[in-house]
Amino acid sequence: MTSEVVIKADKLTKRFGDFIATNEITFEVYAGEIFGFLGANGAGKTTVMKMLCGLLKPSSGKATIAGYDIYKQTESIKKNIGYMSQKFSLYEDLTVIENIKFFGGIYGLTDKQLKEKSDELIETLRLKSEAKKLVASLPLGWKQKLAFSVAILHEPKIVFLDEPTGGVDPITRRQFWDLIYSAADRGITIFVTTHYMDEAEYCNRISIMVDGEIKALDTPTNLKQQYSATSLDEVFYELARGAKRKSD
Ligand code: ATP
């Protein structure tokens, strides 16, 4: 992690009619940092993430991603980020290798780069015997690891992960996080939303959103100290229990 700021949000606000979905969100994320973005359902995480990726115009406030302005430089932002969510990632009806080629093509890799990257990926993920199988046939944990690797094929500055490990057990989540650490070691910044507190513990810093506002932002250790809590679960509960927006 370095002191270079790669995500800078300054009073980002989004209103839908009279409803304030996110209220003056302000934070910075550093290059190579693993930044956890937590909040109960409806807190406003996805709305913030969409604004940062240049997919949703804020009502007010400013933000830069890798130095690019979210209002005026959305095309440059898209070239410098990767994105993965539980809901959108790979094509189930394409094989492993076809998915790698497809996304590599979209990200503008040359044939040579694509060949190198796909060989390397198949090797790292130990997917050699699965390379020609349909993604639909892979266990969920493997799909997620592959989806993450594909999202960073083009070595973006920042990768946005929206609940990337939903539905898998803690051991598979741990393996997924090994991939995250190795990407962060290479300087890729990780911005991740999660509901799992074991994952929150793996982050360098986490922010906790409640009803459209950031209520806490610090390292997991400092937050536990600050709230005299033994676990992040307790910190989260303490902050989120007063939430007015309820989960569906
Ligand atoms: P989850 O974990 O359930 O995805 P979240 O923290 O990502 O929740 P958001 O999806 O950002 O929450 O939603 C924040 C609030 O804004 C919610 O109350 C939601 O209903 C509202 N909201 C989001 N998009 C719109 C929209 N297009 N129009 C009106 N309200 C919206």
Side-chain angles (χ1 to χ4, degrees):
M1 192 161 87
T2 70
S3 58
E4 182 200 348
V5 173
V6 289
I7 301 178
K8 187 172 170 58
D10 183 14
K11 298 192 173 171
L12 266 191
T13 297
K14 182 67 192 178
R15 289 188 207 89
F16 294 109
D18 290 341
F19 179 72
I20 302 176
T22 74
N23 191 18
E24 303 204 338
I25 299 295
T26 299
F27 63 92
E28 290 182 344
V29 180
Y30 304 106
E33 184 171 23
I34 303 175
F35 190 82
F37 204 59
L38 275 63
N41 289 342
K45 305 177 297 292
T46 306
T47 304
V48 172
M49 203 184 256
K50 280 186 188 161
M51 291 191 282
L52 295 178
C53 293
L55 299 171
L56 184 68
K57 283 260 180 288
S59 306
S60 60
K62 293 185 283 189
T64 54
I65 299 294
Y68 297 109
D69 183 273
I70 58 162
Y71 292 94
K72 298 184 206 131
Q73 295 172 297
T74 48
E75 283 314 307
S76 302
I77 289 176
K78 283 176 200 156
K79 285 196 191 110
N80 282 279
I81 63 173
Y83 175 80
M84 172 201 166
S85 87
Q86 200 188 336
K87 289 159 208 144
F88 172 78
S89 48
L90 303 168
Y91 284 104
E92 298 261 326
D93 55 351
L94 295 182
T95 65
V96 169
I97 200 80
E98 283 167 349
N99 265 285
I100 298 174
K101 287 194 171 146
F102 177 81
F103 285 99
I106 283 192
Y107 292 139
L109 267 59
T110 63
D111 286 350
K112 185 164 172 275
Q113 286 169 326
L114 203 49
K115 170 88 179 71
E116 279 168 15
K117 279 278 182 191
S118 53
D119 288 351
E120 186 189 306
L121 226 164
I122 297 276
E123 173 81 30
T124 321
L125 298 180
R126 301 207 184 100
L127 279 174
K128 199 159 186 173
S129 49
E130 272 74 26
K132 290 188 179 139
K133 288 191 185 155
L134 292 184
V135 160
S137 70
L138 297 183
L140 181 60
W142 287 28
K143 281 185 203 168
Q144 290 167 335
K145 284 185 250 178
L146 180 62
F148 174 72
S149 307
V150 161
I152 57 167
L153 262 186
H154 55 312
E155 294 283 320
K157 282 221 158 133
I158 304 155
V159 64
F160 289 89
L161 308 174
D162 196 359
E163 294 181 25
T165 58
V168 300
D169 60 88
I171 294 171
T172 312
R173 283 212 291 279
R174 181 68 244 193
Q175 292 168 353
F176 185 89
W177 275 77
D178 286 340
L179 292 179
I180 292 191
Y181 281 128
S182 106
D185 280 347
R186 296 203 304 275
I188 298 179
T189 306
I190 316 286
F191 184 97
V192 56
T193 71
T194 178
H195 285 296
Y196 297 115
M197 291 302 148
D198 56 335
E199 290 194 325
E201 291 276 1
Y202 303 149
C203 297
N204 297 122
R205 286 188 305 151
I206 57 174
S207 85
I208 301 180
M209 269 187 95
V210 181
D211 290 345
E213 297 184 1
I214 291 185
K215 291 288 185 206
L217 196 168
D218 214 325
T219 62
T221 309
N222 288 351
L223 283 177
K224 281 183 273 187
Q225 237 165 31
Q226 202 179 322
Y227 287 87
S228 309
T230 50
S231 68
L232 278 180
D233 249 333
E234 272 177 54
V235 176
F236 188 80
Y237 179 73
E238 182 63 29
L239 285 162
R241 69 183 173 153
K244 294 190 186 66
R245 293 180 197 166
K246 295 295 173 205
S247 22
D248 353 282

